[in-house]
């Protein structure tokens, strides 16, 4: 059996395939890490029984659907509502703390519904091991929370919320990239839920952008499958979605009221951002891990320039900023939250 490691092609061959796929799919593959793309091309090659560059390139030219299949295998727009839900809980905690509310003062619940069939079942462990590891995890989370809180009180989000209604400044949030809208809608749901329960609550402006025209179209439609809604809590599902039968499963339709709260843009952020807004919070999750070093550096600079001093940048759980020249300081290591300090 041929494995991915067995397939070899040189730089010129790689460039030819990339140029062709760029042209047909409209993807900017040059932004991504070569290792990542090569792996996907090679797995497609194995799938269609072409084990050398020449035969696969011919296959690409002769089979118009192959480029779409490559795109699907790349699964570039993958996202879910409340992806790493603890991160959203941390943001909700910060908002509550800033307006002098406790968790017990409002109704909210971010815990994913354990009954959703698309959720991964946790591996069986002995109770004893599970107890100690859970205890350690909780201690670690508590320690992280306490150290993060010190910094959060210096954030612009905290200050704007504290100053309200003496100073009525809107709070600007940018979800970049937003894929099919799961991330900005998760943020809108949290904020809308708090706004309905806290009488003096400032205005939040939420902007969301992605390079992919089709992803933005799907975001504006606001209908999602079981996979992308698997982390939604029972409480939010009940209040913000209409569940409908679709094929053998279900689809989840966002309520109209929520859909109007976000401004969506189709844009390549590497070429600039279409609004003149400066943000208090930016979510940039699960893009940096896929793009190459030079693009990542430029992308981060664009985001940093769009953040207010004291603004918070949320990265994906596995993402890190390495540059020592950046003004972004890690303030919550568990949830990968950075703050602009200068
Ligand atoms: C894996 S999704 C991440 C979605 C979401 N932030 C999350 O964490 O679930 C990555 C997205 O980045 C978008 N993207 C890639 N390059 C981009 C660029 N230069 N400007 C804007 N969006 C880009 C892709 O179209 C894709 O939808």
């Amino acid at each position: 059996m041929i494995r991915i490691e067995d397939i070899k092609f040189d730089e010129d061959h790689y460039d030819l395939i990339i140029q062709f796929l760029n042209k047909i799919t409209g993807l900017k593959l040059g932004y991504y890490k070569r290792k990542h793309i090569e792996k996907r091309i090679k797995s497609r090659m194995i799938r269609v029984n072409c084990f050398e560059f020449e035969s696969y390139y011919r296959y690409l030219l002769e089979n118009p659907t192959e480029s779409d299949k490559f795109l699907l295998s790349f699964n570039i727009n993958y996202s879910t509502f409340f992806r790493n839900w603890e991160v959203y809980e941390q943001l909700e905690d910060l908002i509550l703390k800033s307006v002098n509310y406790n968790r017990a003062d409002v109704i909210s619940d971010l815990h994913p519904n354990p009954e959703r069939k698309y959720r991964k079942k946790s591996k069986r462990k002995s109770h004893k091991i599970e107890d100690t590891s859970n205890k350690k995890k909780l201690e670690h989370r508590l320690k992280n929370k306490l150290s993060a809180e010190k910094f959060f009180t210096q954030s612009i989000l905290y200050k704007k919320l504290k100053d309200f209604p003496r100073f009525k400044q809107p709070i600007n949030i940018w979800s970049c990239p937003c894929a099919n809208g799961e991330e900005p809608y998760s943020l809108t749901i949290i904020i809308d839920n708090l706004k309905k329960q806290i009488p003096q609550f400032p205005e939040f402006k939420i902007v969301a952008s992605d390079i992919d025209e089709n992803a933005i179209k799907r975001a504006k439609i606001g209908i999602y499958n079981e996979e992308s809604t698997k982390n939604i809590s029972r409480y939010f599902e009940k209040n913000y979605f209409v569940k409908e039968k679709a094929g053998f499963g279900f689809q989840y339709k966002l309520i109209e009221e929520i859909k109007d709260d976000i401004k969506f843009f189709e844009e390549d952020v590497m070429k600039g951002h279409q609004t003149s807004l400066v943000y208090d919070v930016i979510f940039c999750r699960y893009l940096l891990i896929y793009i190459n070093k030079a693009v990542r550096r430029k992308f981060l600079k664009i985001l940093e320039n769009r953040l207010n001093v004291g603004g918070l940048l949320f990265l994906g759980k596995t993402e890190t900023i390495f540059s020592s020249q950046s003004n972004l300081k890690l303030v919550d290591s568990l949830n990968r939250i950075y703050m602009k300090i200068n």
Side-chain angles (χ1 to χ4, degrees):
M1 201 175 81
I2 304 267
R3 294 163 311 158
I4 285 184
E5 308 79 77
D6 301 328
I7 298 181
K8 307 265 176 275
F9 48 67
D10 62 29
E11 200 135 325
D12 293 345
H13 291 159
Y14 175 79
D15 289 345
L16 266 175
I17 294 187
I18 292 305
Q19 276 165 23
F20 180 79
L21 288 170
N22 270 349
K23 207 164 90 191
I24 302 294
T25 63
L27 264 184
K28 292 255 187 295
L29 289 169
Y31 288 172
Y32 291 87
K33 284 180 188 158
R34 175 169 170 168
K35 207 172 80 190
H36 187 64
I37 299 185
E38 220 178 274
K39 203 166 150 199
R40 269 160 180 75
I41 294 175
K42 288 178 178 174
S43 79
R44 278 305 306 160
M45 289 170 80
I46 294 172
R47 215 43 216 275
V48 297
N49 289 324
C50 297
F51 307 118
E52 265 135 32
F53 161 77
E54 282 79 8
S55 58
Y56 184 63
Y57 193 59
R58 206 172 326 112
Y59 187 88
L60 257 177
L61 298 178
E62 287 168 0
N63 294 277
T65 55
E66 178 55 17
S67 312
D68 293 337
K69 286 183 185 149
F70 166 79
L71 202 62
L72 277 178
S73 79
F74 202 30
N75 200 8
I76 197 167
N77 305 125
Y78 180 81
S79 184
T80 68
F81 279 85
F82 300 100
R83 192 174 191 176
N84 312 125
W85 62 273
E86 295 95 338
V87 176
Y88 289 90
E89 193 178 61
Q90 178 72 305
L91 178 67
E92 194 183 61
D93 275 344
L94 168 62
I95 297 176
L96 287 172
K97 192 178 159 63
S98 317
V99 292
N100 284 326
Y101 270 61
N102 291 315
R103 210 147 249 297
D105 300 330
V106 291
I107 307 170
S108 183
D109 182 14
L110 279 128
H111 292 80
N113 180 352
E115 282 162 20
R116 287 295 296 275
K117 78 172 191 201
Y118 271 72
R119 289 189 60 72
K120 270 191 221 146
K121 300 267 177 295
S122 58
K123 285 187 202 124
R124 273 217 202 152
K125 286 183 209 153
S126 95
H127 282 312
K128 220 168 172 185
I129 297 174
E130 207 167 301
D131 279 354
T132 41
S133 77
N134 273 347
K135 201 170 154 219
K136 272 197 178 147
K137 236 172 152 178
L138 280 173
E139 276 170 11
H140 183 49
R141 284 190 67 182
L142 191 66
K143 226 167 131 190
N144 178 73
K145 205 167 193 71
L146 291 175
S147 93
E149 268 174 13
K150 270 198 323 252
F151 292 106
F152 285 157
T153 51
Q154 294 159 33
S155 73
I156 184 82
L157 175 65
Y158 180 85
K159 287 177 186 157
K160 279 190 175 179
L161 283 159
K162 266 245 148 328
D163 281 349
F164 190 82
R166 210 157 40 101
F167 299 109
K168 288 192 171 67
Q169 302 179 74
I171 289 160
N172 299 329
I173 303 186
W174 182 19
S175 162
C176 161
C178 67
N180 317 298
E182 297 88 340
E183 185 178 276
Y185 283 130
S186 302
L187 293 163
T188 311
I189 288 171
I190 290 181
I191 289 157
D192 184 76
N193 179 53
L194 295 180
K195 191 169 79 187
K196 284 178 176 148
Q197 300 176 66
I198 300 173
Q200 305 245 321
F201 205 68
E203 184 199 347
F204 277 77
K205 276 193 186 147
I206 301 188
V207 170
S209 60
D210 198 284
I211 196 171
D212 187 338
E213 181 190 353
N214 290 322
I216 294 293
K217 279 188 190 149
R218 286 192 289 272
K220 287 181 180 167
I221 293 170
I223 300 178
Y224 295 91
N225 62 21
E226 306 217 29
E227 169 66 22
S228 59
T229 53
K230 66 183 179 184
N231 292 325
I232 298 178
S233 68
R234 237 185 242 135
Y235 172 73
F236 284 146
E237 184 184 317
K238 188 169 138 245
N239 288 292
Y240 290 94
F241 292 86
V242 178
K243 183 175 171 182
E244 295 174 340
K245 198 111 193 71
F248 292 111
F250 291 97
Q251 64 180 18
Y252 296 78
K253 213 168 156 180
L254 265 168
I255 58 166
E256 285 302 318
E257 178 194 337
I258 281 298
K259 284 165 60 184
D260 296 337
D261 287 351
I262 302 174
K263 273 223 153 341
F264 284 105
F265 292 100
E266 176 212 328
E267 65 185 10
D268 175 354
V269 175
M270 287 293 285
K271 295 184 177 152
H273 177 41
Q274 290 175 49
T275 77
S276 55
L277 291 174
V278 184
Y279 296 93
D280 305 308
V281 174
I282 297 179
F283 267 61
C284 179
R285 304 171 75 212
Y286 299 106
L287 170 63
L288 300 178
I289 34 165
Y290 300 118
I291 56 184
N292 66 48
K293 236 188 203 164
V295 178
R296 192 165 58 221
R297 204 173 300 129
K298 189 169 168 202
F299 208 97
L300 272 169
K301 209 66 217 153
I302 293 170
L303 299 182
E304 192 181 320
N305 291 340
R306 286 301 185 126
L307 258 186
N308 273 317
V309 173
L312 299 173
L313 172 67
F314 288 67
L315 297 187
K317 276 267 189 171
T318 46
E319 294 170 317
T320 304
I321 295 174
F322 289 110
S323 168
S324 56
Q325 283 152 13
S326 159
N327 280 318
L328 297 163
K329 180 183 165 63
L330 185 64
V331 292
D332 179 337
S333 59
L334 212 56
N335 296 305
R336 309 313 296 170
I337 309 174
Y338 288 78
M339 186 161 80
K340 183 166 166 178
I341 43 166
N342 265 311

